[in-house]
Amino acid sequence: MNAQAERAGLHRGMGFSDARAFCRDLQSRPADVRSDQRFLHSLARWSERYCPWVGLDGDDGLVLNIAGSAHLFGGESAMLGDMRHRLARTGLSARLGVADTRGAAWAFAHFSAGQTGARLRDLPVAALRLEAKTCTALQRVGLRHVSDVMALPRASVARRFGQDVLMRLDQALGDIPEEISPLQEAPRYAAQMSFPDPIGTGDDIMAAAERLLAQVCMRLKTQEMGARILQLTLRRVDQKSQQVELRLAAPLRDAKRILPLFQRGVDAVDPGFGIDQIQLQATRVEPLEIQQIDHTGSKVATKLDDLITRIGVRVGLDNVQRFLPADSHIPERSFLTASAAHSRASGAWVHLRTRPIRLFGPDPIAAQGTRPPQTFRWRRMFLTTARATGPERIAPEWWFSDDNWRSGVRDYWRVETRQGRRLWLFYTPQNPGWFVHGEFA
């Protein structure tokens, strides 16, 4: 919830119908838990600018161990002020709290509302990170603040409310240590090799790349990941570096398939007076689960991916595209153009009648009547109709605005000319005219 929702009287766990009673124009949408977690992890990486020990606290919080790093920012208050300023500048509102223990810092962040000089004793019992039913039970007997719990005999509290209350109290006071589990660093898929004597031939570079590639692919296999972009960095003896980047059409971790794809880039390397260090790193990876291999497995997709990669090395991987079917009876909208490296052939081309492979403007021609003309001129060619098949009426899709279809329905004809051209013509009854829209192979 944001601050506006809290001011309206909403609280966490409230039913939607109850919330609508407080806020009549309340809107709801499904929660994107994965995106929230990705954002929280990104925020945790950003928080490492304050200290190296950052962990997650529930689904919407972070916990930092700033012991030994607060003085670098002018003290704890200055550090919190810098955090609040930077987060507010990006449009985020955060509750911040600092204390000697993790439990007390959580309590100050959630219940002190930024008040300076706040004490743990004065906070409500919910500040001890207790379950809702435990807080309700404590409040029913008049224990509303942490100081009320601290004043009771420990044996009585444990016997009536359980050991969790004492454990949370001791954690907040520092009597029981509570560790912070930092986030694990993302695995780095890289390998490096140094040479006592510089190398300079393409065969030596490829041999070194083969050994490095085997190490990187082994790490990828362990994490069930596949490389999409590999970068080979070659450091010369004059301290200058050259890079060979390989973009793959599909995530791979097969060293035998990847190695030949480096050959073209390695041949263009200028070794100078020699290369003394080579580093290989997978700069972009994607999940690649282990697949069951059987005797019916086809290698067509594998060969196609390798071909797309080889062509992409020459002309750029994004320039290799494929056509995908789209759900539309309009010829111009019946297909999509997508990058072949970032899409997979899916769906099927279903048409009751044959469609041309090539589509034009469409190009207007001078003709009259509702049937295809016997002779007409198109693109400086005089053509004679030998056979015409049709018509096929196609109506525009009214929910899309397209200037080319504002004239209304179209009557399409398949026209075979004596000159060998097989054209796709259409006639517009509302605004009489003939046009050439495509050509059959």
Side-chain angles (χ1 to χ4, degrees):
M1 296 183 301
N2 55 16
Q4 183 180 1
E6 293 181 350
R7 289 194 297 267
L10 276 63
H11 60 81
R12 188 183 298 271
M14 176 183 288
F16 183 73
S17 59
D18 297 334
R20 288 289 295 270
F22 287 86
C23 186
R24 297 177 62 87
D25 56 348
L26 182 65
Q27 301 292 327
S28 66
R29 62 179 180 180
D32 191 350
V33 180
R34 292 186 178 180
S35 297
D36 291 342
Q37 285 298 310
R38 286 197 298 267
F39 176 76
L40 191 60
H41 279 75
S42 301
L43 195 62
R45 290 195 299 269
W46 171 83
S47 301
E48 292 179 356
R49 68 186 311 274
Y50 297 102
C51 67
W53 209 261
V54 181
L56 300 182
D57 186 77
D59 297 331
D60 58 356
L62 298 176
V63 54
L64 288 70
N65 187 351
I66 61 174
S69 61
H71 69 281
L72 301 176
F73 296 86
E76 296 176 351
S77 299
M79 176 183 284
L80 291 184
D82 185 73
M83 290 182 185
R84 188 175 289 106
H85 172 71
R86 292 179 182 274
L87 292 173
R89 194 169 58 181
T90 58
L92 297 176
S93 59
R95 295 177 177 269
L96 306 177
V98 61
D100 295 336
T101 65
R102 176 177 177 177
W106 187 94
F108 292 147
H110 287 77
F111 293 93
S112 68
Q115 298 176 1
T116 57
R119 299 186 306 171
L120 181 64
R121 300 172 55 91
D122 301 330
L123 299 181
V125 291
L128 295 177
R129 296 177 292 173
L130 301 174
E131 296 182 359
K133 61 179 182 180
T134 304
C135 295
T136 302
L138 290 170
Q139 294 173 359
R140 284 178 178 175
V141 297
L143 303 177
R144 301 184 180 277
H145 298 87
V146 177
S147 59
D148 298 335
V149 179
M150 296 173 60
L152 294 178
R154 295 176 61 89
S156 300
V157 174
R159 182 171 57 255
R160 184 163 184 177
F161 303 104
Q163 290 290 341
D164 290 342
V165 177
L166 296 179
M167 181 190 69
R168 289 301 191 183
L169 179 62
D170 292 339
Q171 287 177 345
L173 297 176
D175 296 334
I176 296 180
E178 189 175 5
E179 299 295 334
I180 297 176
S181 299
L183 292 176
Q184 295 183 356
E185 295 185 2
R188 186 170 181 267
Y189 307 101
Q192 182 175 302
M193 180 182 297
S194 300
F195 308 101
D197 296 323
I199 62 175
T201 64
D203 293 339
D204 292 339
I205 296 176
M206 290 297 292
E210 182 179 6
R211 296 180 59 181
L212 296 177
L213 195 58
Q215 301 178 30
V216 173
C217 290
M218 182 59 65
R219 296 177 186 175
L220 291 170
K221 185 177 181 180
T222 303
Q223 300 291 332
E224 294 189 3
M225 303 294 287
R228 286 300 297 262
I229 300 179
L230 290 163
Q231 192 173 76
L232 187 66
T233 304
L234 312 173
R235 192 188 71 180
R236 304 191 311 190
V237 294
D238 58 359
Q239 301 303 313
K240 294 184 179 180
S241 300
Q242 298 185 52
Q243 294 180 344
V244 179
E245 187 178 72
L246 178 63
R247 295 176 175 267
L248 301 173
L252 288 179
R253 57 169 176 257
D254 188 350
K256 293 182 179 179
R257 290 177 56 189
I258 299 175
L259 182 62
L261 303 176
F262 272 110
Q263 187 65 57
R264 179 178 175 83
V266 171
D267 292 341
V269 170
D270 179 16
F273 295 102
I275 297 172
D276 60 357
Q277 187 182 90
I278 295 181
Q279 182 186 42
L280 179 65
Q281 181 179 3
T283 58
R284 179 180 174 183
V285 296
E286 293 181 3
L288 182 61
E289 298 180 354
I290 299 176
Q291 299 180 353
Q292 180 68 33
I293 300 177
D294 55 15
H295 66 283
T296 62
S298 176
K299 297 183 179 180
V300 176
T302 298
K303 294 181 179 179
L304 179 60
D305 291 337
D306 292 347
L307 176 62
I308 294 174
T309 301
R310 292 180 182 276
I311 299 176
V313 171
R314 295 174 178 267
V315 302
L317 197 59
D318 294 335
N319 294 326
V320 183
Q321 299 180 342
R322 62 158 49 98
F323 293 106
L324 299 176
D327 187 12
S328 177
H329 64 271
I330 302 298
E332 296 91 336
R333 298 197 186 102
S334 61
F335 65 92
L336 300 174
T337 304
S339 174
H342 300 90
S343 62
R344 284 289 176 262
S346 60
W349 302 90
V350 179
H351 289 291
L352 300 179
R353 299 194 181 185
T354 306
R355 292 286 186 262
I357 296 179
R358 300 178 61 191
L359 293 177
F360 305 125
D363 300 335
I365 59 174
Q368 297 179 354
T370 59
R371 297 186 62 84
Q374 292 297 323
T375 59
F376 59 95
R377 184 178 180 180
W378 174 66
R379 294 190 176 182
R380 299 183 180 181
M381 295 181 293
F382 288 96
L383 303 175
T384 303
T385 300
R387 186 173 64 177
T389 305
E392 177 191 358
R393 174 158 292 188
I394 299 180
E397 295 175 340
W398 57 266
W399 52 92
F400 288 113
S401 60
D402 191 340
D403 295 337
N404 293 328
W405 283 83
R406 291 187 183 277
S407 57
V409 299
R410 296 179 180 180
D411 293 335
Y412 279 87
W413 294 78
R414 180 173 180 176
V415 176
E416 298 181 13
T417 65
R418 296 185 184 277
Q419 290 75 16
R421 298 277 185 174
R422 297 191 298 169
L423 304 177
W424 204 37
L425 279 66
F426 70 84
Y427 174 75
T428 55
Q430 292 82 359
N431 187 15
W434 282 93
F435 301 85
V436 179
H437 198 189
E439 184 175 10
F440 294 92

